[in-house]
Amino acid sequence: MEIGAYSFGDTPLNADGTSRTTSEAIKNLFDAIVHADNAGLDYFGVGEHHTVTMPASSPGAMLAAAAAATNNIKLGSAASIISTDDPVRVFQQFATADAISGGGRIEITAGRGSSVETFPLFGFDLRDYDQLYSEKLNLLMTINNSGDENVTWEGTVRPNIGNLAVVPRPVQGKLPLWIATGGSPASSARAGSLGLPISYGIIGGAPHRFAPLAELYRKSAEQAGHTGDDIKVSVAALGLVAPTKKEALDRFYQGWHNLNVEMGRLRGWPAPDKSAYLAQAEAPGAYYVGDPDEVARRIVHLHGYMGHMRHFLQTDIGGLPHEHLLESITLLATEVKPRVERLLAKK
């Protein structure tokens, strides 16, 4: 089981609650990835967002910088919003990061985008949501699966490509390409039929309710004749690890509260309710908030339903103090991971 973390960038707050700079958020994110590599974490994902509170708008650039400053950790997007980006540029940026890393550590996770800020920002129409994703995913796969630099592709959402070079190529020929989903059955079936690994973002409710989706994914892959190493599942969730459960609950709550106030302002959500937070932070809720023993047990419990090979947590939300993020990363790598391995070995 790979254990990891992911982030959209988190703009730090002053003591009076006002925001500091987005540039500081990016520097903090870079430092966290380097720290994760040094601590022995398996994976770090950078998600694409375009807001003042979550400014990690360029995963490819961040991962290229991190690739040069790390040695072992796998790095990926979590996710790249390919519907409103150009798959040619996405591939080129990640292949560049792959070359910098020495090869084999860079992954792309292709997502639709649960947040829709990118559509007005880049001039796309939300009514084209499905077509944009379907065609651009096809283009990204065409580029990735090309046997050489020259690519030919036809579609309706961008100009055609007629035997043109898309460079650089990845060190090992192609990049691991994942499908991101928040729980759509169609996405699970699509990923399986395409023979691509799938990453489930579970941010609410009981995580084991995703088990039928993982089963649908594997059945779709089998029906399409895909049985190789690419048929695998990962889980992304919210959470924080601290020395004690009380510390974890107290630390994560303020960031959760701040984030939900901000999302309520943007999306019309009701005011955050602490009882709802506590319900999600206790089993079988979606938040992995606790000491290393509890978090490890809950990851292994979900593995019994999902059979996933990677579990990674978003911790830095709502202005969480940076030192709490770094400690959570350390505990994930040095305390949670060995506990998960021991518990899985007993099954």
Side-chain angles (χ1 to χ4, degrees):
M1 167 78 75
E2 294 180 359
I3 300 296
Y6 73 105
S7 173
F8 301 140
D10 184 44
T11 302
L13 300 177
N14 294 308
D16 63 0
T18 58
S19 293
R20 284 149 69 173
T21 66
T22 53
S23 60
E24 185 177 354
I26 296 302
K27 179 59 166 62
N28 284 346
L29 175 53
F30 174 81
D31 291 343
I33 298 173
V34 174
H35 177 79
D37 183 53
N38 291 333
L41 209 61
D42 295 313
Y43 172 81
F44 204 109
V46 177
E48 179 184 346
H49 272 253
H50 298 260
T51 65
V52 173
T53 56
M54 293 180 285
S57 58
S58 184
M62 175 59 72
L63 296 184
T70 58
N71 296 303
N72 300 304
I73 194 168
K74 293 180 181 179
L75 303 168
S77 54
S80 296
I81 311 308
I82 62 167
S83 303
T84 52
D85 206 341
D86 187 337
V88 174
R89 293 300 285 154
V90 171
F91 181 85
Q92 289 172 328
Q93 290 160 7
F94 281 74
T96 298
D98 180 69
I100 293 168
S101 77
R105 291 199 290 126
I106 304 298
E107 305 177 356
I108 302 175
T109 301
R112 295 170 178 264
S114 59
S115 300
V116 295
E117 295 88 359
T118 59
F119 282 81
L121 183 62
F122 296 114
F124 290 95
D125 193 327
L126 265 174
R127 291 174 295 185
D128 299 327
Y129 188 83
D130 291 328
Q131 183 179 9
L132 284 166
Y133 183 74
S134 178
E135 288 198 26
K136 290 191 175 186
L137 176 60
N138 176 263
L139 172 54
L140 185 59
M141 291 182 64
T142 299
I143 298 168
N144 197 38
N145 293 332
S146 178
D148 57 29
E149 290 83 0
N150 294 327
V151 173
T152 297
W153 179 85
E154 294 184 0
T156 65
V157 298
R158 76 170 312 279
N160 296 336
I161 302 173
N163 197 36
L164 297 176
V166 178
V167 292
R169 294 299 303 176
V171 174
Q172 298 178 0
K174 60 190 297 186
L175 296 171
L177 175 59
W178 294 69
I179 296 293
T181 176
S184 161
S187 293
S188 293
R190 184 206 304 266
S193 65
L194 293 175
L196 296 177
I198 192 165
S199 185
Y200 290 101
I202 304 178
I203 60 173
H208 63 264
R209 68 188 172 88
F210 278 70
L213 294 175
E215 183 179 1
L216 171 62
Y217 161 70
R218 292 186 174 101
K219 285 185 176 179
S220 298
E222 183 180 5
Q223 290 170 357
H226 300 298
T227 58
D229 293 339
D230 285 341
I231 306 307
K232 53 191 175 186
V233 172
S234 72
V235 169
L238 298 174
L240 181 146
V241 189
T244 68
K245 175 66 176 282
K246 183 179 187 306
E247 287 173 296
L249 286 171
D250 291 346
R251 291 175 181 182
F252 200 61
Y253 172 70
Q254 191 57 56
W256 177 89
H257 180 272
N258 292 343
L259 175 64
N260 278 272
V261 167
E262 172 68 10
M263 297 307 292
R265 183 183 67 81
L266 293 173
R267 301 187 184 181
W269 293 356
D273 178 356
K274 189 169 185 178
S275 63
Y277 164 76
L278 293 173
Q280 289 294 315
E282 298 287 351
Y287 305 159
Y288 290 76
V289 178
D291 59 60
D293 281 328
E294 178 177 0
V295 172
R297 287 196 304 269
R298 293 193 58 201
I299 290 172
V300 172
H301 177 262
L302 182 62
H303 180 271
Y305 289 92
M306 301 284 290
H308 57 307
M309 50 69 64
R310 176 186 293 163
H311 196 108
F312 54 116
L313 299 182
Q314 182 186 11
T315 294
D316 57 338
I317 59 173
L320 180 92
H322 191 55
E323 61 268 22
H324 294 336
L325 168 63
L326 298 182
E327 183 175 38
S328 182
I329 287 172
T330 299
L331 291 172
L332 274 172
T334 63
E335 300 290 340
V336 173
K337 180 176 171 60
R339 284 168 168 79
V340 168
E341 291 172 344
R342 288 195 296 270
L343 290 169
L344 288 175
K346 293 178 181 178
K347 295 181 69 175

